[in-house]
């Protein structure tokens, strides 16, 4: 049991930091009764009566201030309003004010003055060399009634916050003006310095997990006084626990309470994955502290903490921080809901100013994602060139995630093209996770995104004045926690054109909750095919067989396509050491077409994708065939050839077909012009017992090669598997007229 700290209960008091130049001691004479004694203990000096409790507060404050002496230069000078931009140059109507960049999208005008007599004046910004009609309004006040922003009123020394609209950032503008729109007159202007550095929020690690189930996702310092704590978990069982800040190498008793998300100093309640925002007490900033903790005052016990870096450059706390948390008041029921995938995926949404708030509900497993966004072509569901959000639960980091994706091609992301997170191709993730939950087999993730971002290439503006075609899908995550290809069934992606007007109200077509849907068992997987005693193989591409094929066989997600060897879906191949084998390869040879470029190679990696790997990841696997190395040690694929693929004649019917042989009858074999590639491989005598045939450019397309000693595979006898192989060749002859060379 933790030793109880008798009488050492700290209270908050009025005080100022060293940066304000003075401190204030308590002035009222009070007494405190300790819980372990009936006697009242006070300390009196020259007529001033101070309790031990108050002495503890004074000591805690003194510790913070003394620590500040050791941290000279850590905090910006006071008063701090952000990066200085300049002063208004007045041309008419008495324009005055000093302008600061608070953060990437907010300006602060200190002591703004204007006589208010202009007939059609607004704060006006643009990127032309000088203020001109080619600009746009910054509404002030930000919240207003009606369709049009209000005309600027008179001001005399007013402090004003200006938030740039529609996702614009300070780096996108060259000037701020007080502009008369009717007469195209510039009343006053200031220019934004080139390469102006602006303060930015700082992401910290999660809470260190020490006691009472305390954990969170990465904590953010939004401004000099505000912390954002997402996915907060705490069992609420601490008898006297608070958010707690202070100085020193570890959390200690010389700390200060921080009010909870509703401004209360009551002991903390329990949290179950909530997103909250807390603010430091007045006159205290993140520059004054070394850590934020959850601390039990009564037992002097640290439940968990996060350290505050000394190199912070975060926005000042001027009231500009506005985020949506799970404790922010919001409507209990969305006015809009659509069921995109029957009994599997619902989307609810509502407009919040310049943002679209979306909540996805999906019946998905922990190794799956749900995706939703704007179709690549209006009028039909098209994945290529689409802008989507991929949402899932990250089982490694134990957080809910929503990632901004751009799908340039229907292929796995190779770092440049394919189904790629924006951040992986040099852009940014413009999606903000608000909250997440998982219960009764349903994962719900709430996120928000600006209607219009600043990325013209990878982000598509979300219209609110008309219907737009949307797409949705459910599929598996790969080892990188990125989206792999989904199955081509009606339950995994929308096959019909679905249109939504995101500006509409009461578009509520969901008839029931996904929580009420009964879970259905999946189909029986097809058994693994095996090939042994064969020296010649043909490798081409084909579908994965949905929930009966690749993933049930291998236990890992697929990209939606897989190797077909001798017309069998990822068979296990047995080879003998010292023997030579021939592979006829039809996986594509055009690197500019990533969806049809799958060089064949043999490796000790169960994942493959050597072409995607760099550094240590590349050195972790060894290639045994299909790869050469240049003078710099870079891997070059040699297992290319024309592209041939088994394609669905109509749609994927794997769910309704119980045998692979019958499934093959629903496919047709198509080849591009050109010649196949050839790979001759003599199995090394020191080859390990387990190898894999894989795709050089993408992960998880192949399966096992069992390596045995010479003669151990049973010679040329293939038993039942050879009969299956001959039968499939006959099937191909009937379907395509092609003969296996």
């Amino acid at each position: 049991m933790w030793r109880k700290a008798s009488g050492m209960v700290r209270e908050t008091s009025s005080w100022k930091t060293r940066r304000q130049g003075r401190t204030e001691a308590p002035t009222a004479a009070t007494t405190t009764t300790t819980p372990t004694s009936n006697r009242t203990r006070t300390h009196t000096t020259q007529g001033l009566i101070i309790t031990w409790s108050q002495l503890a507060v004074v000591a805690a404050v003194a510790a913070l201030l003394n620590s500040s002496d050791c941290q000279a230069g850590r905090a910006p000078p006071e008063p701090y309003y952000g990066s200085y931009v300049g002063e208004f140059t007045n041309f008419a109507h008495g324009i005055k004010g000093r302008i600061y960049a608070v953060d990437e999208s907010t300006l602060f005008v200190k002591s703004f003055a204007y006589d208010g007599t202009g007939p059609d004046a607004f704060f006006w910004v643009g990127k032309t060399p000088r203020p001109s009609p080619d600009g746009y309004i910054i509404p002030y006040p930000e919240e207003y009634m009606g369709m049009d922003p209000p005309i600027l009123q008179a001001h005399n020394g007013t402090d004003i916050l200006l938030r740039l609209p529609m996702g614009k950032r300070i780096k996108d503008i060259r000037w701020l003006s007080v502009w008369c729109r009717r007469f195209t007159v510039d009343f006053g202007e200031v220019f934004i310095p080139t390469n102006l550095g602006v303060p930015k929020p700082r992401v910290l690690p999660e809470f260190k997990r020490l006691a009472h189930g305390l954990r969170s996702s990465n904590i953010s310092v939004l401004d000099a006084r505000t912390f954002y704590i997402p996915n907060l978990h705490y069992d609420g069982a601490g008898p006297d626990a608070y958010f707690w800040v202070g100085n020193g190498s570890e959390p200690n008793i010389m700390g200060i309470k921080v009010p909870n998300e509703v401004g209360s100093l009551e002991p903390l309640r329990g949290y179950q994955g909530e997103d909250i925002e807390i603010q430091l007490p007045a006159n205290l900033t993140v520059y004054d502290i070394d850590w934020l903790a959850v601390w039990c005052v009564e037992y002097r016990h640290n439940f968990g903490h996060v350290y505050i870096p000394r190199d912070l450059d975060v926005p000042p706390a001027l009231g500009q921080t506005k985020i949506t948390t799970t404790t922010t008041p919001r409507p209990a029921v969305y006015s809009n809901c659509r069921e995109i995938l029957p009994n599997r995926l619902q989307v609810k949404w509502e407009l919040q100013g310049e943002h679209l708030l979306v909540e996805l509900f999906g019946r998905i497993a922990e190794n799956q994602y749900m995706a939703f966004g704007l179709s690549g072509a209006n009028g039909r569901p098209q994945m290529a060139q689409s802008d989507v959000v991929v949402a899932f639960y990250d089982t490694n980091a134990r957080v809910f995630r929503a990632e901004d994706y751009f799908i340039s091609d229907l292929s796995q992301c190779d770092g440049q093209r394919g189904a790629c997170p924006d951040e992986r191709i040099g852009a940014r993730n413009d999606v903000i996770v608000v909250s997440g939950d998982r219960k009764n087999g349903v994962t719900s993730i709430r996120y928000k995104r600006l209607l219009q971002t600043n990325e013209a290439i990878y982000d598509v503006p979300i219209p609110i004045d008309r219907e737009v075609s949307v797409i949705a899908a459910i599929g598996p995550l790969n080892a990188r926690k990125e989206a792999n290809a989904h199955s081509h069934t009606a339950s995994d992606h929308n096959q019909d054109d679905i249109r939504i007007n995101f500006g509409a109200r009461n578009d509520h077509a969901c008839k029931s909750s996904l929580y009420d849907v009964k879970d259905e068992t999946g189909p029986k997987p097809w058994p693994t095919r095996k090939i042994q005693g064969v020296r010649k193989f043909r490798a081409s591409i084909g579908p994965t067989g949905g929930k009966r094929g690749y993933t049930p066989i291998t236990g890992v997600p697929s990209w939606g396509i897989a190797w077909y060897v001798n017309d069998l879906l990822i068979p296990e191949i047995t080879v003998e050491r010292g023997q030579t084998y021939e592979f006829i390869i039809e996986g594509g040879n055009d690197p500019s077409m990533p969806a049809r470029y799958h060089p064949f190679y043999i490796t000790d990696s169960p994942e493959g994708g050597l072409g995607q790997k760099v550094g240590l990841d590349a050195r972790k696997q060894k290639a045994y065939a299909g790869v050469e190395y240049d003078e710099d040690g870079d891997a070059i694929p040699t297992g290319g050839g024309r592209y041939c693929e088994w394609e669905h004649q109509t749609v994927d019917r794997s769910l309704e077909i119980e045998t692979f042989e019958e499934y093959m009858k629903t496919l047709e074999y198509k080849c591009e012009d050109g010649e196949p590639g050839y790979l001759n491989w003599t199995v090394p005598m020191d080859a390990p017992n387990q190898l894999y045939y894989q795709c050089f450019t993408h992960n998880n397309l192949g399966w096992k090669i069992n390596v045995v000693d010479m003669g151990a595979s049973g010679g040329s006898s293939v038993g039942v598997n050879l009969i299956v192989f001959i039968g499939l060749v006959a099937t191909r002859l009937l379907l395509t007229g092609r003969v296996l060379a």
Side-chain angles (χ1 to χ4, degrees), residues 338-412:
R338 290 281 195 94
E339 186 160 294
I340 310 297
L341 303 180
N343 294 331
R344 294 207 70 192
L345 180 65
Q346 292 180 348
V347 55
K348 300 181 180 182
W349 75 92
E350 64 182 28
L351 287 176
Q352 287 192 343
E354 297 169 1
H355 288 84
L356 181 68
L357 181 67
V358 177
E359 187 162 12
L360 300 181
F361 295 81
R363 295 194 64 83
I364 60 174
E366 285 194 343
N367 63 347
Q368 290 183 307
Y369 66 85
M370 47 187 171
F372 175 73
L374 302 184
S375 173
N378 209 27
R380 66 180 187 274
Q382 177 178 300
M383 288 291 177
Q385 300 301 307
S386 63
D387 179 18
V388 302
V389 173
V390 173
F392 59 94
Y393 178 68
D394 188 333
T395 55
N396 294 335
R398 298 184 181 277
V399 297
F400 292 96
R401 290 170 55 183
E403 304 289 337
D404 201 355
Y405 269 62
F406 178 71
I407 304 177
S408 63
D409 301 274
L410 297 183
S411 65
Q412 195 176 79

Side-chain angles (χ1 to χ4, degrees), residues 129 193 276 299 316 354 392 404 410 428 438 470 503 513 523 529 531 563 583 593 642 646 655 691 740:
I276 69 167
Y299 289 98
E354 297 169 1
F392 59 94
D404 201 355
L410 297 183
R428 65 175 182 269
R438 180 170 175 81
V470 299
S513 169
R529 265 53 185 179
I531 300 176
W563 283 116
F583 292 85
M593 300 286 290
R642 67 179 180 182
W646 286 100
L655 277 176
L691 293 174
L740 182 63

